[in-house]
Amino acid sequence: MRARLGLVSGALLYAALLYSAYTVYGPLNYGAGANVDLPLPLVVLGFLYALVPPLLMPTKIERPSQACYAVLYLIVIVPCMFIPYGATSGSPWDMVPLTTTLMVLFSALGLVYRVPLVKLKRLPVPEFGFDVALLLFAAALILVTMATTNLTLDLSLGDVYERRLEARETTGTSTLTAYAYSWLGNGVSPFLIALGIARRKWLHILVGIVGLLLVFSLTGLKSTFFTPILLLGTYTALKLFPKASGAVGTWLASGAVALAGLEFFVIGTWILPHLILHRLLFTPANLTTYYFEYFSKNAQVMLSDSFLSGFVERQYDKSVGGTIGEVYYQSDVMNATTGIWAQGYAHFGFIGMIVVTALVGFFFLVFDSATRPKDLLIGAMMMALTGIFWANVSLHTSLVSNAILLTLLLIWLLPEAAAKGRRGSA
């Protein structure tokens, strides 16, 4: 009961801080025309919807995927309970079907934790052999990435968007190069760091950080800087508060939003408000609104820009993100991609959102079944990162490009630690 009360009260505080932050920062982020003066009934509805999942979701993380579930709640569900009402160019009431569907589907997704896990047969991989193979694989990806960057290391924050565009032009049609830095930054390096933290393997942490720095140098993706913070934060929450790890996330998120506000009002700078509020929370919810708004009135994509291109006539000359970037941001090069449910709607409408939810639930079951109980910490760290990915890209793209299937393979092959004191247990 106490853990549930802590989870619900933390969620209420987070929703209140986020809503207040949006009314302050919304016009600063999206222009003077941003509608932050929302109708009171919709504000009340937003708070009610934001509090439904905490009444049902686990109060502590006992399966790795519950870390992903918590992250999706914090950075997708709660922002989408308020921001679509202000971001739409039409009537705020037109967004009620979107917010209602998201709340219902996310709450239904939590039912997967009532399904028992299956025991997956494992290969007898020795710990030393696994470590050597993983480090060699990381070294190969690092070498390919270094060749792409012409052996230069650029850690400046001033020209990240130009570097990102240059990275796309540099890799061009080279699938090997694109997958090399994508798997390095999204899968192998984070896995090395997670494994290193949980089992005190310092070489793994060092190689993982080098890989992330190289990926940032090539792509300018600022999220690479937050990957170690997210992994370490997840580990710390589970180690220090094992019986209330679900509630800890809501209180930490509340603290992050409050800290961004203190920086803005007390110091007068814009670093945390931009990184936490604008980039991590507001933008995905804003884009979710645009996806729903645009594809409610125009033809849905039906994966014609992906693996169904040979079966479905292509509706648009650009990807989903490229189309939204062109329509809403007047940009020919912007890829305005966002999370799994918005992408599901863009492709197949509400049916797409339902299918995405079912597939995510299935993946949760497989990943949790593939993770040894004593490696809960490693699995949870990686699944928390998966939550960040799924807040920003489509499900089908993330499985390969964001190395989610690779991560599943690694966690399944991961042998038990040889020494008792190094086991990644909660």
Side-chain angles (χ1 to χ4, degrees):
M1 184 63 183
R2 182 180 298 179
R4 178 68 61 190
L5 181 61
L7 176 59
V8 173
S9 59
L12 178 60
L13 176 62
Y14 176 64
L17 288 172
L18 188 68
Y19 172 71
S20 300
Y22 179 65
T23 62
V24 173
Y25 302 110
L28 297 175
N29 279 292
Y30 304 112
N35 180 18
V36 296
D37 186 16
L38 307 183
L40 180 60
L42 292 181
V43 175
V44 174
L45 185 66
F47 276 99
L48 291 176
Y49 279 2
L51 290 177
V52 170
L55 293 173
L56 304 172
M57 62 198 300
T59 58
K60 62 179 179 179
I61 295 175
E62 298 177 299
R63 297 185 184 185
S65 69
Q66 289 169 343
C68 179
Y69 192 67
V71 169
L72 288 172
Y73 170 73
L74 292 171
I75 66 177
V76 175
I77 300 304
V78 177
C80 282
M81 295 302 101
F82 300 102
I83 292 176
Y85 300 134
T88 179
S89 59
S91 168
W93 295 94
D94 293 340
M95 295 295 109
V96 172
L98 170 64
T99 59
T100 303
T101 302
L102 281 171
M103 183 275 293
V104 170
L105 289 179
F106 186 78
S107 299
L109 178 60
L111 296 176
V112 74
Y113 298 117
R114 300 187 180 184
V115 179
L117 301 179
V118 297
K119 189 174 182 179
L120 298 180
K121 187 176 180 180
R122 291 179 173 274
L123 297 177
V125 180
E127 184 181 16
F128 179 76
F130 180 87
D131 285 346
V132 170
L134 181 60
L135 289 169
L136 287 176
F137 185 40
L141 297 178
I142 286 173
L143 288 175
V144 174
T145 305
M146 288 177 65
T148 306
T149 60
N150 296 319
L151 304 181
T152 59
L153 188 64
D154 184 358
L155 302 181
S156 64
L157 295 171
D159 59 346
V160 292
Y161 296 106
E162 290 79 1
R163 292 217 305 279
R164 205 167 299 171
L165 183 59
E166 289 175 6
R168 292 177 194 160
E169 295 173 348
T170 300
T171 55
T173 58
S174 174
T175 304
L176 173 63
T177 304
Y179 279 134
Y181 74 76
S182 179
W183 287 357
L184 180 64
N186 296 325
V188 176
S189 287
F191 195 88
L192 282 167
I193 295 172
L195 181 59
I197 291 173
R199 297 189 179 178
R200 305 296 189 269
K201 294 175 180 284
W202 307 112
L203 177 60
H204 291 59
I205 296 175
L206 177 61
V207 174
I209 291 176
V210 169
L212 290 180
L213 291 176
L214 282 172
V215 171
F216 176 79
S217 179
L218 174 64
T219 65
L221 289 171
K222 287 174 278 191
S223 59
T224 55
F225 282 124
F226 290 97
T227 296
I229 298 174
L230 175 66
L231 298 177
L232 187 59
T234 303
Y235 174 85
T236 303
L238 266 67
K239 289 291 286 186
L240 296 182
F241 307 97
K243 295 183 179 180
S245 48
V248 169
T250 60
W251 288 95
L252 288 176
S254 299
V257 175
L259 194 61
L262 284 175
E263 180 196 344
F264 179 77
F265 288 109
V266 177
I267 303 176
T269 54
W270 184 249
I271 299 173
L272 290 180
H274 175 75
L275 294 177
I276 295 176
L277 298 175
H278 169 62
R279 182 63 192 91
L280 188 63
L281 302 175
F282 293 170
T283 296
N286 224 53
L287 288 172
T288 297
T289 308
Y290 296 160
Y291 274 56
F292 181 77
E293 188 175 73
Y294 184 80
F295 290 104
S296 294
K297 302 173 183 176
N298 298 279
Q300 286 155 359
V301 183
M302 296 186 291
L303 292 173
S304 60
D305 62 343
S306 185
F307 56 85
L308 290 186
S309 59
F311 304 94
V312 180
E313 182 180 356
R314 186 152 186 166
Q315 303 291 332
Y316 304 93
D317 59 354
K318 293 188 174 185
S319 65
V320 176
T323 300
I324 296 298
E326 182 177 53
V327 172
Y328 286 90
Y329 296 93
Q330 292 77 52
S331 171
D332 292 330
V333 297
M334 183 177 183
N335 184 26
T337 184
T338 192
I340 52 176
W341 285 290
Q343 295 276 357
Y345 186 85
H347 286 281
F348 295 104
F350 288 115
I351 297 297
M353 297 176 74
I354 295 172
V355 171
V356 161
T357 305
L359 291 174
V360 168
F362 177 74
F363 182 84
F364 280 176
L365 287 174
V366 174
F367 193 95
D368 292 343
S369 296
T371 307
R372 295 179 189 271
K374 288 188 177 295
D375 288 321
L376 169 64
L377 289 173
I378 299 173
M381 283 188 272
M382 295 307 298
M383 285 306 291
L385 185 61
T386 298
I388 300 292
F389 295 151
W390 281 346
N392 293 280
V393 297
S394 66
L395 179 63
H396 62 279
T397 298
S398 68
L399 293 178
V400 178
S401 296
N402 290 98
I404 291 176
L405 289 180
L406 176 61
T407 300
L408 173 61
L409 176 63
L410 291 174
I411 201 70
W412 176 64
L413 292 174
L414 179 65
E416 288 189 287
K420 244 184 200 181
R422 293 189 297 160
R423 292 180 189 270
S425 62

